[in-house]
C-alpha cells in the first residue's frame, strides 16, 4: 500500500474481493505471525495466465506490423523512460 501510495483500507477491500472470487488465499507468514501472505488459488493462477496470454496477444496484434527498427527504437525509448524513474517515488 505504501509503495503505491494507497490507503491500507483500499488494498484490504481489493484483497477481500479477490478472496470472495476465490482467486487468492491469505496465509500467516511463518517468520512473523502478524503478517499475512497472499497466495493465488488454482483459479487465481488460471485467471492470471489467461490475462497474460490476452495481453501478449494484444501486443502482438498492435506491434505486428512494426519493423525491426521500429521495435528496437521503441525498446530503447522504454528503457530510457524506465531508467528516469529509478530511485524516485511516484508523484
Amino acid at each position: 500500500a505504501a509503495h503505491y501510495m494507497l490507503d491500507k483500507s483500499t488494498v484490504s477491500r481489493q484483497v477481500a474481493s479477490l478472496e470472495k472470487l476465490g482467486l487468492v488465499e491469505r496465509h500467516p507468514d511463518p517468520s512473523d505471525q502478524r503478517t499475512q501472505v497472499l497466495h493465488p488459488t488454482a483459479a487465481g493462477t488460471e485467471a492470471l495466465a489467461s490475462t497474460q496470454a490476452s495481453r501478449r496477444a494484444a501486443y502482438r496484434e498492435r506491434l505486428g506490423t512494426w519493423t525491426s527498427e521500429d521495435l528496437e527504437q521503441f525498446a530503447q525509448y522504454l528503457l530510457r523512460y524506465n531508467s528516469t524513474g529509478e530511485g524516485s517515488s511516484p508523484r
Side-chain angles (χ1 to χ4, degrees), residues 12 14-26 38:
S12 181
Q14 296 302 315
V15 169
S17 294
L18 293 172
E19 282 182 299
K20 285 181 184 177
L21 292 170
L23 300 175
V24 296
E25 300 173 327
R26 296 180 200 224
L38 297 175

Side-chain angles (χ1 to χ4, degrees), residues 2 10 16 23 26 39 41 44 46 48 53 55 58 65 78 86:
T10 300
L23 300 175
R26 296 180 200 224
H39 295 275
T41 62
E46 185 178 320
L48 182 59
R55 195 172 288 155
T65 61
L78 288 174
E86 291 177 6

Side-chain angles (χ1 to χ4, degrees), residues 27-44:
H27 298 284
D29 184 338
S31 63
D32 180 358
Q33 292 299 311
R34 296 173 298 160
T35 303
Q36 296 180 352
V37 180
L38 297 175
H39 295 275
T41 62

Side-chain angles (χ1 to χ4, degrees), residues 49-72:
S50 174
T51 300
Q52 290 171 335
S54 296
R55 195 172 288 155
R56 280 191 297 274
Y59 290 141
R60 281 190 200 101
E61 182 180 329
R62 292 177 188 158
L63 301 174
T65 61
W66 289 31
T67 66
S68 295
E69 293 80 18
D70 288 341
L71 292 171
E72 180 63 33

